[in-house]
């Protein structure tokens, strides 16, 4: 029994050993294989991790290198922009300082001359008065007695018949001669003078002698309307006039007078005179002045000046240029022998003058010595060259739709209070740094309005290259009539010096009204709307003086921006149609657009520039050509859409595009844009980059885009500014630029 137990135990042990060996081996093998696989997987993972770590290290190094390169580029660009900004700022500060130094020197010199002139005038008046009293005394009696003989000798060389004298003799009217002396005239001297006159006339004359103590000494002969004055009183008055016109006469005025008197009494004055017959409303009629010229300047008593307008058989009609309260009937009028002239020259830059070129800004006398006739022939065709250089206004709607070139005449027309003057002033402001001298002629404007414009121009630094000619609403009609011609004379002088000039006439409607008033007072026959028949010639001879001269004539230019006011938008009225036919295009401002918030309120359909397209920058012409068509289509569809609400997608898209373009072309005052800014914004609108924007965000998008373009693509902006046409690569670069900006715009 015990043996069998041992046997069973051994059998069980053998079976257990077999099972353990059989299955344990398999488990161990599986365990080993599993560990081996885990080790292999771990090795593979470690290898992949190493590769990833190496790739990450390389990527980090690339990122670090790229970041360093970008940082260096940003720093370099920032340094360049900073240096450029500092350079521009320093240059601007230097220009401003130089302008202020120049103005200070001019003001100081003007003040010095004004003070010295007042002192000199006071001393001159005293010396003139004392000289007159001294010459009347007994000490100079012998010298006074010798004067008639010297006068007779000078008269033999000077006496001559005028055309009017010969005409009277042909008509059988005869001549009248009057010899006047300060004392009783020696009969022998009187007989010799009479014989001389009759020998020159070839016939007998009505001869008369008179005595006038105010002459002090010497003789005065009047033959017809011509006066030969050898009296001491005339010599003293002439010395006073010479003293006023000269800047420096030396230290001793008494010596100056003595020297002049010694030379003057041997040279009698010769001039034609007339007498005022009637006077009313700035117009006077004068008897005499038989040989006067049309447009000649006349000298009245008290220094008042006038200009001849009408010449009749026995009388002359003249307009009075200034205050005429002290003028009276019977006053003497004297010919000057010169047509109406005004001061001109670069010395007028920064000044405000009246219609005769006299300073009214309180900054002292003008320093120029140059003068130019207010009326002069316009340059001929041979002296001109085509308009090829643009005159940028800085206003998107104008530079894109109705471009203006240097030498062009572009009319600004519209109703009252539609922004006509604002366009002109913004154009003047945009000429800063463009080598253009601006002249603003205010015709019939209120003093407060002109003062506000001048203050704004000074604030923005535009008066450093501008001249303002102001004929106020309170001035008489002759001053309003002459003012634009005064401005044109100033601009012409600079143009013939090779300068580029922009002149604004604000406005010619008031100018035409002033001329109508003068013409009716001169009894000229009224025509259409009571304007005289030559009102067209009035403006044509003014505006034709704007030109672009060829290189043989200096290469200068004068661009004219006349302004005309309409009534209820009627551009078919008399004066608007006249000026439209004279100019090279017009910018029509519509009251409805203005009231709806579109500023500037330019009507794209009625506005046109006939010659400015040749001067438009090529990039602007490249992208703005379809702008007018899109705006016109929008205007037509907008009026059509008011009568229906079911619109197809194409119509809705066209209306949406038109609204974006209209919003884009809006522009605030005193906010000019460069050519590159305008081109980039118009290109973005044409390509549809603004179609999905809210209309109210268009100005923000435009501002951001143009700033981004200057920061990221300065070379492209410079290419646009140079006037070059963009190639396909540059257009592609511009598209990428806009797309990149739009990604970040919200």
């Amino acid at each position: 029994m015990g043996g069998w137990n041992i046997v069973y135990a051994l059998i069980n042990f053998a079976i257990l050993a077999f099972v353990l060996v059989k299955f344990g081996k398999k488990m161990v093998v599986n365990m080993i294989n599993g560990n081996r696989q885990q080790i292999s997987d771990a090795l593979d993972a470690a290898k992949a991790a190493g590769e990833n770590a190496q790739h990450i290290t390389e990527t980090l190094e690339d990122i670090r290198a790229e970041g360093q390169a970008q940082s260096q580029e940003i720093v370099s660009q920032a340094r360049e922009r900073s240096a450029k900004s500092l350079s521009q700022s320093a240059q601007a500060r230097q220009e401003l300082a130089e302008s202020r130094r120049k103005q200070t020197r001019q003001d100081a010199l003007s003040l010095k001359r004004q003070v010295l002139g007042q002192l000199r005038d006071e001393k001159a008046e005293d010396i003139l008065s004392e000289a007159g009293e001294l010459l009347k005394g007994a000490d100079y009696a012998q010298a006074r007695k010798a004067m008639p003989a010297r006068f007779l000798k000078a008269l033999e060389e000077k006496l001559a018949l005028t055309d009017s004298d010969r005409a009277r003799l042909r008509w059988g009217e005869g001549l009248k001669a009057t010899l006047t002396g300060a004392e009783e005239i020696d009969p022998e001297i009187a007989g010799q003078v009479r014989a001389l006159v009759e020998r020159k006339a070839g016939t007998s004359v009505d001869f008369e002698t008179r005595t006038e103590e105010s002459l002090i000494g010497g003789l005065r002969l009047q033959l017809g309307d011509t006066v030969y004055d050898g009296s001491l009183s005339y010599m003293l008055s002439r010395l006073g006039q010479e003293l006023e016109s000269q800047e420096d006469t030396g230290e001793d005025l008494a010596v100056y007078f003595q020297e002049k008197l010694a030379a003057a009494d041997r040279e009698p004055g010769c001039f034609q005179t007339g007498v005022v017959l009637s006077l009313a409303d700035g117009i006077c009629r004068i008897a005499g002045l038989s040989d006067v010229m049309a447009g000649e300047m006349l000298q009245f008593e008290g220094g008042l000046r006038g200009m001849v307008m009408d010449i009749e058989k026995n009388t002359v009609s003249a307009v009075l240029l200034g205050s005429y309260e002290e003028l009276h009937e019977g006053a003497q009028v004297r010919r000057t022998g010169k047509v109406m002239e005004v001061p001109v020259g670069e010395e007028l830059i920064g000044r405000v003058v009246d219609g005769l070129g006299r300073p009214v800004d309180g900054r002292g006398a003008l320093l120029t010595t140059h003068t130019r006739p207010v009326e002069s022939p316009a340059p001929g065709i041979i002296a001109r060259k085509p308009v090829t250089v643009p005159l940028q206004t800085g206003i998107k709607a104008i530079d894109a739709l109705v471009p203006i070139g240097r030498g062009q005449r572009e009319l600004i027309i519209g109703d009252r209070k539609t922004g006509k003057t604002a366009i002109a002033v913004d154009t003047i402001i945009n000429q800063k740094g463009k080598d253009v001298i601006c002249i603003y002629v205010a015709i019939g404007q209120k003093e407060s309005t002109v003062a506000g414009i001048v203050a704004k121009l000074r604030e923005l630094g535009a008066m450093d290259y501008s001249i303002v000619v102001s004929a106020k609403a309170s001035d008489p009609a002759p001053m309003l009539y002459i003012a634009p011609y005064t401005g044109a004379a100033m601009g012409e002088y600079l143009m013939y010096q090779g300068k580029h000039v922009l002149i604004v006439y604000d406005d010619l409607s008031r100018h035409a009204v002033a001329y109508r008033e003068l013409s009716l007072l001169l009894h000229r026959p009224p025509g259409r709307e009571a304007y005289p028949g030559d009102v067209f010639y009035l403006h044509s001879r003014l505006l034709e003086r704007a030109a672009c001269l060829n290189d043989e004539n200096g290469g200068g230019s004068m661009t004219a921006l006349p302004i005309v006011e309409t009534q209820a938008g009627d551009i078919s009225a008399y004066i608007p149609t006249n000026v439209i036919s004279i100019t090279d295009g017009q910018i029509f401002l519509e009251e409805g657009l203005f009231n709806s918030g579109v500023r500037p309120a330019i009507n794209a359909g009625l506005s046109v520039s006939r010659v400015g397209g040749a001067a438009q920058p090529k990039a602007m012409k490249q992208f703005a050509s379809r702008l007018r068509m899109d705006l016109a289509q929008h205007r037509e569809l907008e009026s059509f859409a008011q009568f229906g609400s079911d619109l197809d997608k194409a119509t809705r898209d066209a209306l949406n595009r038109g609204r974006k373009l209209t919003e884009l072309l809006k522009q605030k005052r005193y906010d000019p844009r460069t050519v590159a800014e305008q081109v980039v914004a118009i290109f973005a609108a044409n390509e549809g980059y603004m179609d999905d924007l809210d209309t109210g965000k268009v100005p923000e998008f435009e501002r951001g885009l143009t700033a981004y373009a200057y920061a990221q693509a300065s070379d492209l902006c410079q290419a646009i500014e140079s006037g070059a046409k963009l190639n396909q690569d540059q257009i592609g670069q511009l598209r990428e630029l806009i797309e990149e900006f739009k990604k970040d715009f919200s």
Side-chain angles (χ1 to χ4, degrees):
M1 190 68 186
W4 286 105
N5 291 334
I6 295 172
V7 172
Y8 287 136
L10 291 172
I11 293 172
N12 290 334
F13 179 78
I15 294 170
L16 179 61
F18 176 78
V19 171
L20 289 173
V21 170
K22 183 71 175 176
F23 292 100
K25 181 179 179 181
K26 186 176 181 179
M27 290 176 62
V28 170
V29 170
N30 289 337
M31 185 183 299
I32 292 171
N33 289 336
N35 291 336
R36 186 179 298 163
Q37 184 64 37
Q38 288 179 357
I39 293 170
S40 177
D41 291 343
L43 290 174
D44 292 340
K47 184 179 180 181
E51 292 177 354
N52 288 336
Q54 184 178 2
H55 180 67
I56 290 171
T57 302
E58 293 175 355
T59 303
L60 288 174
E61 290 178 353
D62 292 341
I63 291 173
R64 187 181 298 107
E66 184 178 356
Q68 290 177 351
Q70 289 180 351
S71 299
Q72 292 176 355
E73 183 178 359
I74 291 172
V75 170
S76 176
Q77 290 179 355
R79 287 175 177 172
E80 290 178 2
R81 286 197 298 270
S82 177
K84 185 177 180 180
S85 176
L86 288 174
S87 175
Q88 292 176 348
S89 178
Q91 184 178 1
R93 288 196 300 270
Q94 185 177 1
E95 291 177 355
L96 180 60
E98 182 62 28
S99 173
R100 288 179 176 174
R101 281 196 297 269
K102 183 178 178 181
Q103 186 64 47
T104 302
R105 287 196 302 268
Q106 182 175 349
D107 291 346
L109 185 56
S110 298
L111 182 59
K112 179 181 177 182
R113 290 186 178 182
Q114 187 175 4
V115 171
L116 292 177
Q118 291 175 353
L119 293 174
R120 185 183 63 198
D121 291 342
E122 292 175 1
K123 293 171 66 177
E125 289 178 4
D126 294 340
I127 293 178
L128 280 172
S129 178
E130 293 176 3
E133 294 298 326
L134 185 62
L135 291 173
K136 291 179 183 179
D139 294 340
Y140 289 88
Q142 192 66 29
R144 292 198 302 270
K145 288 181 180 180
M147 291 186 69
R150 290 199 297 267
F151 174 76
L152 179 60
K153 184 177 180 180
L155 190 63
E156 291 177 352
E157 301 177 359
K158 210 172 188 66
L159 183 65
L161 295 184
T162 64
D163 293 338
S164 60
D165 294 336
R166 296 189 184 94
R168 287 193 183 96
L169 293 175
R170 286 197 302 269
W171 296 336
E173 295 182 1
L175 289 177
K176 181 178 180 180
T178 303
L179 184 63
T180 307
E183 301 172 351
E184 191 70 28
I185 303 175
D186 185 354
E188 184 179 354
I189 295 292
Q192 291 177 357
V193 172
R194 179 170 186 169
L196 175 61
V197 172
E198 290 179 347
R199 187 170 68 250
K200 293 284 187 180
T203 183
S204 61
V205 297
D206 182 7
F207 193 82
E208 179 184 1
T209 60
R210 292 180 181 176
T211 302
E212 187 176 327
E213 294 183 359
S214 61
L215 297 184
I216 304 176
L219 298 176
R220 176 193 293 161
L221 173 67
Q222 181 168 352
L223 179 61
D225 295 334
T226 307
V227 174
Y228 301 89
D229 200 336
S231 66
L232 283 174
S233 62
Y234 169 72
M235 295 174 189
L236 288 173
S237 65
R238 189 168 65 180
L239 287 177
Q241 293 174 0
E242 290 180 2
L243 187 64
E244 290 179 1
S245 62
Q246 292 185 6
E247 295 183 4
D248 188 13
T249 58
E251 296 293 335
D252 194 344
L253 284 174
V255 174
Y256 172 79
F257 271 101
Q258 187 176 1
E259 293 175 353
K260 287 293 184 180
L261 277 172
D265 74 337
R266 294 175 176 80
E267 186 66 26
C270 179
F271 48 86
Q272 270 195 341
T273 61
V275 178
V276 175
L277 294 178
S278 63
L279 174 68
D281 298 320
I283 304 292
C284 75
R285 296 191 178 276
I286 305 166
L289 303 178
S290 303
D291 296 282
V292 76
M293 300 181 293
E296 183 176 346
M297 183 170 60
L298 303 178
Q299 187 76 36
F300 293 84
E301 293 179 0
L304 177 65
R305 288 192 287 178
M307 187 173 69
V308 176
M309 294 291 287
D310 281 349
I311 301 176
E312 301 173 6
K313 182 178 179 180
N314 297 316
T315 60
V316 172
S317 297
V319 295
L320 302 175
L321 302 171
S323 178
Y324 52 87
E325 285 81 2
E326 297 181 1
L327 191 64
H328 56 85
E329 295 180 3
Q332 290 288 322
V333 187
R334 184 182 299 180
R335 284 187 61 190
T336 62
K338 299 185 295 184
V339 295
M340 193 67 199
E341 295 180 340
V342 293
V344 296
E346 293 188 45
E347 292 83 358
L348 273 76
I349 296 175
R351 304 300 302 272
V352 182
V353 298
D354 66 2
L356 297 179
R358 298 173 300 196
V360 293
D361 54 3
R363 291 175 174 258
L366 299 176
L367 304 182
T368 182
T369 57
H370 302 286
T371 60
R372 186 176 178 85
V374 294
E375 298 250 23
S376 60
I381 298 297
I382 303 301
R384 299 176 182 241
K385 68 177 180 180
V387 174
T388 56
V389 180
L391 186 136
Q392 298 294 335
T393 66
I395 301 173
K396 292 172 288 186
I398 294 178
D399 291 341
L401 299 175
V402 280
I404 301 173
R406 291 183 179 179
Q408 186 176 342
R409 298 153 297 179
E410 186 75 7
L411 172 64
I412 303 174
I413 185 170
D415 285 1
R416 185 173 179 271
K417 296 292 184 181
T418 52
K420 301 185 295 298
T421 301
I423 288 179
V425 173
D426 283 349
T427 304
I428 292 175
I429 293 171
N430 193 55
Q431 303 314 307
K432 187 172 186 179
K434 293 182 173 59
D435 194 28
V436 177
I437 299 172
C438 302
I439 303 174
Y440 177 76
V441 183
I443 309 168
Q445 304 285 344
K446 294 187 296 184
E447 287 188 68
S448 59
T449 302
V450 178
I453 292 173
V454 172
K456 196 65 182 179
L457 293 178
R458 289 198 190 280
E459 177 187 342
L460 299 176
M463 281 301 289
D464 294 340
Y465 52 87
S466 299
I467 305 170
V468 175
V469 181
S470 175
K472 306 183 294 295
S474 58
D475 288 342
M479 295 294 286
L480 274 62
Y481 161 73
I482 202 71
Y485 296 101
T486 296
M490 295 174 179
E492 263 184 339
Y493 175 83
L494 297 169
M495 176 179 68
Y496 283 111
Q497 296 293 319
K499 307 290 184 181
H500 299 288
V501 181
L502 167 67
I503 184 166
V504 177
Y505 303 109
D506 189 10
D507 67 50
L508 293 187
S509 299
R510 292 186 176 92
H511 184 234
V513 170
Y515 184 67
R516 175 173 63 184
E517 180 182 340
L518 291 179
S519 300
L520 294 176
L521 290 170
L522 291 167
H523 303 296
R524 294 179 180 176
R528 178 179 169 185
E529 300 179 25
Y531 289 104
D534 64 340
V535 71
F536 178 88
Y537 179 61
L538 172 79
H539 289 151
S540 65
R541 72 178 190 263
L542 172 68
L543 296 175
E544 287 292 341
R545 294 160 75 173
C548 183
L549 300 179
N550 55 29
D551 295 337
E552 290 78 9
N553 289 275
S557 69
M558 184 163 72
T559 308
L561 293 182
I563 297 176
V564 168
E565 184 178 304
T566 57
Q567 302 292 331
D570 183 15
I571 62 173
S572 63
Y574 190 26
I575 300 303
T577 52
N578 277 353
V579 183
I580 286 173
S581 63
I582 297 168
T583 51
D584 304 315
Q586 68 274 351
I587 300 170
F588 180 66
L589 303 180
E590 190 175 345
E591 186 178 15
L593 288 175
F594 187 86
N595 293 334
S596 65
V598 178
R599 315 282 175 81
I602 297 176
N603 185 314
L606 296 178
S607 300
V608 64
S609 178
R610 300 184 184 94
V611 299
Q616 191 175 28
K618 293 182 175 59
M620 178 69 79
K621 186 184 296 186
Q622 192 175 0
F623 303 126
S625 56
R626 55 179 286 190
L627 190 61
R628 182 187 296 274
M629 183 176 61
D630 289 344
L631 287 172
Q633 183 182 16
H634 165 68
R635 185 70 60 85
E636 184 178 353
L637 291 176
E638 193 175 36
S639 60
F640 173 76
Q642 295 176 354
F643 302 99
S645 58
D646 188 13
L647 302 175
D648 59 282
K649 184 178 184 302
T651 303
R652 292 196 303 271
D653 291 344
L655 286 171
N656 180 54
R657 175 71 60 84
R659 282 191 289 269
K660 301 303 187 294
L661 289 175
T662 302
E663 188 67 27
L664 176 66
L665 294 180
K666 291 181 182 179
Q667 194 166 337
K668 296 180 180 179
R669 295 189 65 178
Y670 317 124
D671 185 23
R673 307 296 173 84
T674 64
V675 178
E677 289 176 330
Q678 297 178 38
V679 169
V680 170
I682 291 172
F683 177 82
N686 285 340
E687 294 294 314
Y689 290 105
M690 299 183 186
D691 290 351
D692 57 345
L693 297 176
D694 293 336
T695 304
K697 286 193 173 183
V698 169
E700 181 185 352
F701 181 85
E702 178 213 352
R703 273 298 191 189
L705 175 61
T706 53
Y708 185 77
Y710 269 101
Q712 300 297 326
S714 58
D715 294 341
L716 183 61
C717 293
Q718 290 176 1
I720 296 173
E721 295 282 355
S722 67
K725 183 178 180 180
L726 300 186
N727 55 37
Q728 292 300 319
D729 294 338
Q730 290 172 321
I731 294 175
Q733 181 185 358
L734 186 56
R735 285 197 179 96
E736 293 177 1
L737 183 78
I738 298 172
E739 289 171 358
E740 290 175 3
F741 171 76
K742 193 171 181 181
K743 289 178 183 178
D744 299 329
F745 181 78
S746 58

